[in-house]
Amino acid sequence: MIKLDRVSMVYPGGNRALDDIDFHIKKGEFVFIVGSSGSGKTTLMKLLLKELNPTSGRVVVMNNDLSTVTHKGIPFIRRQIGTVFQDFRLLKDRTVYDNIAFAMRVVEASAKDIKVRVPELLSMVGLANKGNCHPNELSGGEQQRVALARALANRPAMILADEPTGNLDPNNSNEIMRLLEQINGRGTTVLVVTHNREIVNQMHRRVITLNRGIMMSDEMEGGYRDEF
Amino acid sequence: MSFKAFSYSVNQGLLSIRRNRMFSLASLGTMVACLFMLGVFLMILINFNHIVSSAESTVTISVYFNSDVSAEQIAEIGKNINAREEVESAKYKTADEAWADFSKDYYEDNGDLLASFGEDNPLGQSDSYIVTLKDVKDQKEITKYLQNITGVRYVNSPQSTMDALNRLNRIISISSLTLILILFLVAVFLISNTVVVGISVRREEIAIMRLIGATDHFIRGPFIVEGMVLGLIGAVLPLLLLFGLYELLLHMAVNELATMASWLELMSAGEIFAWLVPICLLLGIGIGLLGSVFTVRKHLQV
Ligand SMILES: Nc1ncnc2c1ncn2[C@@H]1O[C@H](COP(=O)(O)OP(=O)(O)O)[C@@H](O)[C@H]1O
Ligand SMILES: [Mg+2]
């Protein structure tokens, strides 16, 4: 599903954000990427979405070597990846329903499919009665669930979540993680970037630890490590 | 592009025009002014050319003789003129006939003035030939030939008038076209500005669209539509204005002008607008496309 082959990323100006990263994530896995701020986690996400190209090494996502994907091909890779961010990234000028429907319109889903799929997603994340609300009428936890519903709208093979609980209290954080586990339970690969120690330690999942761009460990049933 | 993506682009483009009202209006206003002026200018130019060419083809060359030239000599000269290949016909006109025609043309509505001349013929000994050519382009050469015949007093050719008119025509064309070109550039610039504002208002939305996997066409479509719709409205409005204006002009002018001289007739609205409609539509949509396509290319790169 995801393969990084000796990947390094040096930003213009010489900042080495990732140094010789090597790992392989199989279909259906649930993986945490942990590390303190500035360790290169977001840079890694950007490489997977081909928002950035690595300075050296090879990034393979769903059997596509991203270095061979053309500019025109990028949207079609991204359509198979659902993304969730710390700041939710919802459109404030439209309703919850329209935020989710928007993701489907972008990939030119039919009006009929949208009508069926959006309520399905809303009830899946427990917001069946919030479709007509605007994002600013919702709590942070609810907004993140809308973002998750949007990420799932086009049935992606993989979810990338960059600090999805970064702005949430423990209850809401747990709720988001529960939903991500549930999604993973149905076969979707899930990659969660976080520095939330409690969550990582609770869940006993695979943990890849980064520190200053270097991969420190990759443990199958790991916990949060910060002795580096 | 699928129909769904197309209708999405149209919806979003129209929405963006409404959200962006001030900038949309500014670019529309400039475009309307630009195309309206172009239209007025083209109306003048097309009619001007029409009048010049119908004048050229109907106006004839008159050859007048000295009073000491005998009738036989005049007949001989007439034969020579008629023998020229360029000449369609050379009709002999006595001084009395010329006076009769002239007074009929100019004093018909003014009997008192005509009566004041009494039996005098103010044109005097002006026996003449009225020379009609097969092709106007030979006018200069024939005029020269006629002037060089001995016994000829005066050759009245419309050539010099036409030359002056054509010069005037060229000056008007160049200055108007320069002005229109400047307005055209201003219109492109304003549309481009409108699109830039639209893009910056929707920056967040565009970033999200990218992340979700929207194609470039899908992201750019609404902005191109925005430019094209502005261009289209900017072409249709001045066309309507111009049409009204021209109809009014025809109403007022046709009777007045046509009585002065038959060739001084304006073209019909149909003939004029067969030119104006495609020119304005092409320019309007062209301005809209230029303003939006380049801007979108520049500001919406990944
Ligand atoms: N656009 C950029 N230009 C230059 N340096 C950057 C840029 N983005 C991130 N960095 C640097 O790369 C390193 C890793 O950043 P990032 O991937 O955002 O870390 P994390 O998400 O783990 O906090 C940091 O030192 C950061 O300052
Ligand atoms: Mg980060």
Side-chain angles (χ1 to χ4, degrees), chain B:
Chain B
M1 196 187 252
S2 71
F3 177 73
K4 257 196 298 307
F6 176 74
S7 70
Y8 166 85
S9 289
V10 171
N11 275 332
Q12 294 298 307
L14 295 179
L15 184 68
S16 187
I17 290 174
R18 260 180 289 145
R19 276 192 199 157
N20 232 331
R21 224 164 284 128
M22 290 314 291
F23 282 87
S24 300
L25 280 178
S27 31
L28 253 185
T30 313
M31 195 134 72
V32 170
C34 173
L35 291 181
F36 182 77
M37 283 175 65
L38 179 72
V40 168
F41 160 70
L42 282 177
M43 279 175 171
I44 295 172
L45 191 73
I46 294 171
N47 272 308
F48 205 89
N49 278 323
H50 171 67
I51 287 171
V52 167
S53 69
S54 57
E56 272 177 346
S57 61
T58 53
V59 171
T60 48
I61 305 173
S62 307
V63 187
Y64 300 92
F65 296 94
N66 290 325
S67 46
D68 58 356
V69 180
S70 72
E72 291 80 42
Q73 278 174 300
I74 291 178
E76 180 67 27
I77 293 170
K79 227 180 270 166
N80 287 337
I81 297 175
N82 263 320
R84 298 269 315 189
E85 221 162 77
E86 304 93 328
V87 173
E88 173 83 34
S89 70
K91 289 206 184 72
Y92 183 68
K93 213 178 200 179
T94 66
D96 290 344
E97 281 170 350
W99 174 234
D101 283 355
F102 183 83
S103 49
K104 184 166 169 284
D105 278 357
Y106 291 92
Y107 299 109
E108 197 173 21
D109 300 332
N110 212 333
D112 291 347
L113 189 60
L114 183 57
S116 71
F117 288 109
E119 287 304 306
D120 291 339
N121 179 348
L123 297 179
Q125 290 300 319
S126 289
D127 284 356
S128 61
Y129 278 110
I130 307 297
V131 179
T132 312
L133 299 179
K134 284 177 186 155
D135 191 337
V136 230
K137 75 177 197 305
D138 300 321
Q139 215 178 93
K140 212 171 223 161
E141 207 187 312
I142 286 292
T143 303
K144 207 171 223 165
Y145 161 77
L146 294 170
Q147 280 164 339
N148 288 333
I149 299 173
T150 41
V152 168
R153 176 166 58 88
Y154 173 62
V155 177
N156 182 11
S157 153
Q159 184 65 47
S160 54
T161 323
M162 293 306 151
D163 282 350
L165 283 178
N166 279 326
R167 261 196 305 280
L168 185 68
N169 198 346
R170 211 165 304 135
I171 292 167
I172 296 173
S173 303
I174 290 170
S175 48
S176 320
L177 283 176
T178 310
L179 186 68
I180 287 160
L181 185 72
I182 292 169
L183 275 175
F184 181 89
L185 292 177
V186 172
V188 170
F189 172 76
L190 282 175
I191 291 222
S192 160
N193 249 5
T194 311
V195 170
V196 169
V197 170
I199 289 173
S200 63
V201 165
R202 300 172 65 167
R203 195 158 287 293
E204 199 189 358
E205 185 177 336
I206 291 166
I208 291 171
M209 286 167 88
R210 288 238 164 81
L211 221 47
I212 290 170
T215 57
D216 284 353
H217 289 304
F218 195 86
I219 293 172
R220 290 169 176 177
F223 298 105
I224 309 280
V225 168
E226 186 177 352
M228 269 177 58
V229 168
L230 287 176
L232 196 65
I233 300 174
V236 170
L237 280 183
L239 277 173
L240 291 176
L241 280 175
L242 288 166
F243 191 78
L245 186 80
Y246 198 69
E247 283 289 331
L248 199 69
L249 192 73
L250 282 181
H251 251 78
M252 296 190 322
V254 154
N255 307 326
E256 303 290 319
L257 289 179
T259 49
M260 280 164 68
S262 65
W263 47 266
L264 213 54
E265 193 181 21
L266 295 179
M267 290 173 86
S268 71
E271 286 172 298
I272 289 277
F273 281 85
W275 284 97
L276 279 187
V277 169
I279 289 176
C280 282
L281 284 180
L282 275 179
L283 275 178
I285 294 172
I287 291 172
L289 276 180
L290 264 183
S292 56
V293 168
F294 285 108
T295 312
V296 159
R297 292 239 151 149
K298 193 172 151 212
H299 290 266
L300 281 183
Q301 283 168 341
V302 176

Side-chain angles (χ1 to χ4, degrees), chain A residues 3-8 20-23 56-60:
Chain A
K3 195 170 179 331
L4 266 72
D5 193 1
R6 309 207 57 181
V7 170
S8 292
D20 208 17
I21 305 292
D22 233 1
F23 63 74
S56 63
R58 210 160 59 104
V59 180
V60 180

Side-chain angles (χ1 to χ4, degrees), chain A residues 41-43 162-163 193:
Chain A
K41 307 183 295 297
T42 296
T43 302
D162 190 354
E163 314 231 17
V193 162

Side-chain angles (χ1 to χ4, degrees), chain A residues 65-212:
Chain A
D65 179 344
L66 292 190
S67 68
T68 67
V69 173
T70 60
H71 175 80
K72 274 203 165 128
I74 293 173
F76 300 96
I77 300 283
R78 289 185 187 163
R79 286 176 189 194
Q80 303 174 62
I81 306 174
T83 47
V84 177
F85 298 90
Q86 180 171 0
D87 55 1
F88 320 136
R89 301 201 189 168
L90 299 175
L91 294 167
K92 291 165 192 67
D93 65 342
R94 58 195 86 183
T95 62
V96 164
Y97 183 99
D98 285 335
N99 264 280
I100 300 170
F102 180 62
M104 295 182 73
R105 264 180 220 124
V106 161
V107 302
E108 296 175 36
S110 74
K112 208 175 104 211
D113 285 350
I114 294 175
K115 235 179 231 152
V116 174
R117 180 77 174 147
V118 177
E120 202 176 284
L121 289 159
L122 280 173
S123 53
M124 182 177 160
V125 297
L127 295 172
N129 55 352
K130 300 273 185 178
N132 291 322
C133 294
H134 279 78
N136 60 359
E137 298 169 300
L138 301 180
S139 72
E142 288 170 327
Q143 289 187 54
Q144 193 61 300
R145 281 186 272 155
V146 176
L148 193 54
R150 182 182 65 192
L152 291 168
N154 299 315
R155 306 178 195 279
M158 178 168 110
I159 293 278
L160 294 186
D162 190 354
E163 314 231 17
T165 62
N167 284 339
L168 304 181
D169 60 34
N171 278 340
N172 279 310
S173 299
N174 287 333
E175 174 60 16
I176 293 294
M177 294 319 296
R178 191 188 63 75
L179 283 168
L180 284 170
E181 273 201 299
Q182 192 185 319
I183 291 157
N184 176 244
R186 291 189 205 140
T188 307
T189 310
V190 175
L191 191 65
V192 180
V193 162
T194 188
H195 54 233
N196 187 320
R197 173 194 311 270
E198 287 72 34
I199 282 175
V200 175
N201 288 337
Q202 266 167 36
M203 289 178 65
H204 308 289
R205 297 290 194 154
R206 180 174 171 190
V207 179
I208 293 172
T209 307
L210 293 179
N211 185 31
R212 294 169 183 236

